[in-house]
Every structure is written in C-alpha cells, then in structure tokens.
Amino acid sequence: MTQSSVPARPDGSMTGQPPAVQDRSLDGQIALITGASRGIGRATALRLATMGAHCVITARTQGGLCETDDLIAERTGRRATLLPLDLADGGKTDLLGPSLAERFGRLDILIHAAARFVTPTPLDHIRETDWTRALTVNLSATMRLIRTATPLLRQAPAGRAVILTNRDLNTPAPFHGIGAACGAGVDALVSTWQQEMAGCPSFTACLFDPGPTATRLRAQTFPAEESTALLATPESVAARIAALCAVPAAS
C-alpha cells in the first residue's frame, strides 16, 4: 500500500484550500473500494472521501489510481491509500484483509465496483481463456474479497458492504452465458453472506444494481448505443451507494 506524500498542516490536512465538506458522517472510517481508477468506483471513492472516510483504492492501473487520488486531494485536502492490484491475482487479493488490519486495525466499508468486460459469445464459441478470466475476476474475486474482509467487517461498529451487479448483463440471454453465470454466482455468494452474518446486526451487505450508467464498461458492452443522455452518471450512482453506507441515526 502506498500513500501520497504532500505538505500537511498541523491538523493533518493538506496545504491549499480544499472546499468545505458538509457531510462528515464517515469520519474516521476506513473504506476499501475496488475498480477505483474510473467510473463508478472512482466517483464512489470521491464521495466517501468527502464524507470523511479514508479510502483505500484499488485497480489495475497505477495512473488511474493517481488521478483518483488527486481528485480526492483537491476535494478534501486529504490523500487516499493507493493499492494497485489485479483481482485476478488471488494471492494478493487474499492479503487485503490482513494488510488493512496491520495498517489501520479496521475496515468499515467495502465497495466492490471492479468488473471485467465479457465479449458476447455463443456458448459453443466460448474460449477457455475468456471463461477462466471472467470467472476469476467477476466471481472468484468476489468470494476472495468477502472472505478476506469479513473478519474486519464483523468487528466494525457498523460494517457496510456494497457489491455492484448488473441485472441487464447478468440475466440469461443469447450470447451472454458467461455474464449470466458470473452474475448468478455473485448473487448466491452475497445472499449466503447475508444469511451467515445475520447474527451480526451491526453489519449490512447488499447487491446494488446502478442501472444503465455512462461508464466505459457500458460503452464496451453497447458500442452502438447512440444516445447517453438518459444514462445515469457515475456521480449520481455514487451518491446512492454512499447513502447505503450511511449509518442510521440513533432514535
């Protein structure tokens, strides 16, 4: 894990004039966000950071993570912790939980926004490499994230996990067998997790479908889509995810 180093004030904030932040409901919380180099993952990291969370951001591309980190610093005056990581590397994914425990001693929020684009393919034309890669990143990585994060989330005062899904792409349909198989598997994992954690009332996990959103993944999936005016923006989706991470006020 790396954290950018810039001059800081005595109170720990960065030099410059970050804009005032109205909602600080996540002060002191640690949030792990996958797929944070662009799109919904980036927008969510920025949103949670403005609410006071310290974000640990992961993605395959160092450059994209640095851009996200710069946006967080501009908006909040604080830096994220950067963790370049290919979720296809199961061994490194397994180390996330222990690394967070050693570095921060806690994890309050898990946002899993990373996904691999799956080229629509007839079942009898699926290549072994495409099948293996898709299941590794879109399904096995979810299992590994759940497994490595559960001990810390169970201990959190109010653990939250949001696993993104896409019903349009994960519903069985011609040429979408790989996506449907991955989606069904993720649904089963999260449902099982919810049931197994039922004895921990402070913890909440959910599948979240953002609906049609203007992201690079959607552009790859629907290259002929002419109008994006009706698509949600990553920023509007991030606001909805942040609301799922908020802890209800005590009555």
Side-chain angles (χ1 to χ4, degrees), residues 37-75:
S37 61
R38 60 178 177 265
I40 294 173
R42 168 180 286 177
T44 301
L46 182 58
R47 182 78 178 203
L48 298 182
T50 61
M51 295 170 67
H54 177 77
C55 293
V56 180
I57 55 177
T58 79
R60 289 184 297 165
T61 56
Q62 175 81 36
L65 288 177
C66 289
E67 292 174 4
T68 302
D69 184 39
D70 287 342
L71 290 171
I72 290 174
E74 291 172 8
R75 185 72 60 86

Side-chain angles (χ1 to χ4, degrees), residues 116-131:
R116 177 177 173 80
F117 170 68
V118 179
T119 303
T121 308
L123 291 176
D124 58 344
H125 285 71
I126 292 175
R127 295 184 299 180
E128 187 72 22
T129 53
D130 292 339
W131 172 262

Side-chain angles (χ1 to χ4, degrees), residues 4-229:
S4 304
S5 177
V6 298
R9 301 188 182 97
D11 64 1
S13 61
M14 306 302 174
T15 56
Q17 296 181 339
V21 177
Q22 301 299 321
D23 183 354
R24 302 286 299 187
S25 60
L26 300 181
D27 263 345
Q29 297 195 26
I30 303 298
L32 172 64
I33 303 101
T34 70
S37 61
R38 60 178 177 265
I40 294 173
R42 168 180 286 177
T44 301
L46 182 58
R47 182 78 178 203
L48 298 182
T50 61
M51 295 170 67
H54 177 77
C55 293
V56 180
I57 55 177
T58 79
R60 289 184 297 165
T61 56
Q62 175 81 36
L65 288 177
C66 289
E67 292 174 4
T68 302
D69 184 39
D70 287 342
L71 290 171
I72 290 174
E74 291 172 8
R75 185 72 60 86
T76 70
R78 294 174 287 107
R79 290 288 189 181
T81 296
L82 280 57
L83 183 59
L85 172 67
D86 185 346
L87 291 176
D89 189 332
K92 290 184 178 178
T93 303
D94 290 341
L95 292 175
L96 280 173
S99 297
L100 291 169
E102 181 179 359
R103 177 73 178 272
F104 303 106
R106 65 186 295 172
L107 175 65
D108 302 277
I109 297 168
L110 169 64
I111 308 294
H112 183 25
R116 177 177 173 80
F117 170 68
V118 179
T119 303
T121 308
L123 291 176
D124 58 344
H125 285 71
I126 292 175
R127 295 184 299 180
E128 187 72 22
T129 53
D130 292 339
W131 172 262
T132 301
R133 178 72 180 182
L135 263 66
T136 299
V137 175
N138 294 348
L139 179 57
S140 294
T142 302
M143 180 277 292
R144 291 180 180 275
L145 284 168
I146 290 173
R147 185 172 64 185
T148 195
T150 292
L152 289 174
L153 290 171
R154 183 182 285 117
Q155 296 172 11
R160 296 289 185 269
V162 181
I163 312 298
L164 270 66
T165 187
N166 187 318
R167 302 298 182 191
D168 288 340
L169 299 181
N170 294 344
T171 300
F175 314 120
H176 289 279
I178 298 178
C182 292
V186 170
D187 285 2
L189 286 173
V190 175
S191 177
T192 301
W193 195 22
Q194 291 169 331
Q195 295 175 57
E196 291 178 352
M197 294 287 280
C200 184
S202 63
F203 171 78
T204 300
C206 67
L207 281 167
F208 176 76
D209 183 355
T213 306
T215 62
R216 192 176 83 165
L217 182 61
R218 184 174 180 85
Q220 290 177 311
T221 307
F222 301 104
E225 192 168 50
E226 295 182 357
S227 175
T228 60

